[in-house]
Amino acid sequence: MFDNKAILITGGTGSFGHKYVETILARYKPKRIVIYSRDELKQYEMQQKFDSDVMRYFIGDVRDAERLKQAMSEIDFVIHAAALKHVPVAEYNPMECIKTNIIGAENVIQAALANKVEKVIALSTDKAANPVNLYGATKLASDKLFVAANNIAGKLPTKFSVVRYGNVVGSRGSVVPFFQKLIDEGANKLPITDTRMTRFWITLQQGVDFVLKNFERMKGGEIFVPKIPSIRIMDLAEAMLPNVEHDVVGIRPGEKLHEIMCPEDDANHTFEFDDYYVIAPSITFTQRGNDYSKNSIGEQGNKVAENYAYSSGSNPDFLSVEQIQHYNQIR
Ligand SMILES: NC(=O)c1ccc[n+]([C@@H]2O[C@H](COP(=O)([O-])OP(=O)(O)OC[C@H]3O[C@@H](n4cnc5c(N)ncnc54)[C@H](OP(=O)(O)O)[C@@H]3O)[C@@H](O)[C@H]2O)c1
């Protein structure tokens, strides 16, 4: 699938980008991998790590439409990973989050259309489902732009899909490194926002593999959601600092008790496959088909029940304390 292909990844210097490049270089022989991001230091450090002649490093901002168009010249596949993704940062700097996550998404779409890119996958988050904070709201707007882009494409060949998943174990700024730092500094208890809290849990490698597979499955217009386990925050704390009483500090603004990946309101256009869901577009595509029950490689899905929601709280699959410890080691 990726042999002899030119791939561009926006935000390629991030956690996802590093794992993606490592995986692609180990499994395929791509023609070119273009990393597109702003900070020269992160790119310099990445160049030290990935010493391959297929790698290209472009300094650029997704807010810069012209630069994106130039960078996507002769590109086959795009992964859009660049984002401002910290909930409090987005609340404090709302327009900056809107510019990167929404205007940036539109720029990626226009650059891909202008260059007749074959396939584009944009990364989304569970926080985009029934959003309660600005980060989630901007990612929902971004999801909508990518889905609608299949209509705008008309007779152009470009297909756009979205991959939505939950907390990546150990990604920068997330709860595992936060707890680990406190433990390393000698903390004898951890701050728990609410003892009932649950989260979806995925490793970076699982996220990368799911994105890679969806390049084969996509028709354009889908929001792909992997079936992944949940964790209870109390089990995570027990896994990292066992046998102590933890502090309850209260839920933070913009946080949910449980995350949702497939909202109940989308159930009438959500399909369940063996190990993933597809939320089909709610709009009708004029140039392309609207049947999402079967994907491009022939896998068959079934409509979910009328009031079905895929939530971290009602997920039948929860990790035990021991399994969480294992996930933390392999992240
Ligand atoms: N991590 C998670 O738990 C998680 C969960 C679900 C979904 N996601 C989604 O997955 C994607 C990747 O996440 P990640 O964990 O890899 O994030 P990350 O480690 O923060 O990486 C994001 C990258 O985007 C780049 N970037 C930020 N603003 C940019 C801009 N305006 N123009 C170009 N590049 C920009 C940053 O590099 P520079 O600063 O050098 O530009 C950074 O390296 C995001 O879209 C996120 O919403 C993440």
Side-chain angles (χ1 to χ4, degrees), residues 118-134:
E118 208 179 307
K119 293 179 179 179
V120 178
I121 286 190
L123 301 188
S124 181
T125 159
D126 48 11
K127 294 184 173 56
N130 298 352
V132 294
N133 52 56
L134 185 74

Side-chain angles (χ1 to χ4, degrees), residues 109 140-154 160 162 220-223 265-266 268-271 278-292 303:
I109 290 165
L140 177 62
S142 167
D143 294 356
K144 297 277 182 197
L145 287 170
F146 279 100
V147 170
N150 293 280
N151 242 354
I152 294 158
F160 300 90
V162 172
E222 307 92 336
I223 298 177
D265 290 327
D266 287 333
N268 66 350
H269 53 106
T270 299
F271 294 87
V278 164
I279 305 175
S282 53
I283 50 171
T284 307
F285 288 154
T286 48
Q287 303 276 347
R288 299 176 181 178
N290 281 279
D291 181 8
Y292 289 87
K303 273 264 179 78

Side-chain angles (χ1 to χ4, degrees), residues 9-18 35-43 58-64 68 79-86 96 99-101 104 122-127 135 139 163-174 202 204:
I9 169 159
T10 69
T13 49
S15 310
F16 178 91
H18 273 258
I35 302 296
Y36 185 95
S37 62
R38 299 164 306 169
D39 171 32
E40 61 181 343
L41 178 61
K42 284 198 218 82
Q43 290 201 358
F58 280 38
I59 294 287
D61 194 314
V62 290
R63 300 179 188 183
D64 184 345
L68 262 178
I79 298 175
H80 178 45
L84 290 181
K85 60 170 209 186
H86 287 278
E96 299 310 305
K99 284 183 207 161
T100 295
N101 294 1
L123 301 188
S124 181
T125 159
D126 48 11
K127 294 184 173 56
Y135 167 56
K139 293 297 269 189
V163 165
R164 175 184 288 174
Y165 52 68
N167 280 44
V168 174
V169 186
S171 68
R172 292 188 307 173
S174 67
I202 186 170
L204 213 38

Side-chain angles (χ1 to χ4, degrees), residues 230-247:
S230 293
I231 58 121
R232 295 180 184 87
I233 192 70
M234 294 306 287
D235 290 342
L236 175 67
E238 177 67 17
M240 296 187 70
L241 193 59
N243 304 323
V244 294
E245 286 280 315
H246 298 289
D247 271 342

Side-chain angles (χ1 to χ4, degrees), residues 87-239:
V87 171
V89 173
E91 298 298 313
Y92 192 69
N93 305 275
M95 269 319 293
E96 299 310 305
C97 185
I98 288 167
K99 284 183 207 161
T100 295
N101 294 1
I102 303 180
I103 309 294
E106 177 61 10
N107 290 340
V108 168
I109 290 165
Q110 294 304 333
L113 290 173
N115 284 287
K116 296 192 172 57
V117 167
E118 208 179 307
K119 293 179 179 179
V120 178
I121 286 190
L123 301 188
S124 181
T125 159
D126 48 11
K127 294 184 173 56
N130 298 352
V132 294
N133 52 56
L134 185 74
Y135 167 56
T138 60
K139 293 297 269 189
L140 177 62
S142 167
D143 294 356
K144 297 277 182 197
L145 287 170
F146 279 100
V147 170
N150 293 280
N151 242 354
I152 294 158
K155 291 195 168 62
L156 288 170
T158 315
K159 295 184 175 119
F160 300 90
S161 296
V162 172
V163 165
R164 175 184 288 174
Y165 52 68
N167 280 44
V168 174
V169 186
S171 68
R172 292 188 307 173
S174 67
V175 62
V176 171
F178 172 60
F179 279 179
Q180 193 57 54
K181 182 167 174 284
L182 294 178
I183 293 165
D184 293 345
E185 288 167 358
N188 53 13
K189 51 190 169 177
L190 296 169
I192 303 293
T193 49
D194 190 299
T195 55
R196 297 163 296 171
M197 189 171 278
T198 64
R199 286 294 179 263
F200 287 110
W201 219 231
I202 186 170
T203 67
L204 213 38
Q205 188 66 62
Q206 287 169 331
V208 166
D209 290 344
F210 188 60
V211 169
L212 293 180
K213 192 68 194 168
N214 291 330
F215 270 98
E216 293 173 38
R217 292 176 172 138
M218 65 188 275
K219 292 176 162 176
E222 307 92 336
I223 298 177
F224 289 101
V225 173
K227 288 188 188 172
I228 50 179
S230 293
I231 58 121
R232 295 180 184 87
I233 192 70
M234 294 306 287
D235 290 342
L236 175 67
E238 177 67 17

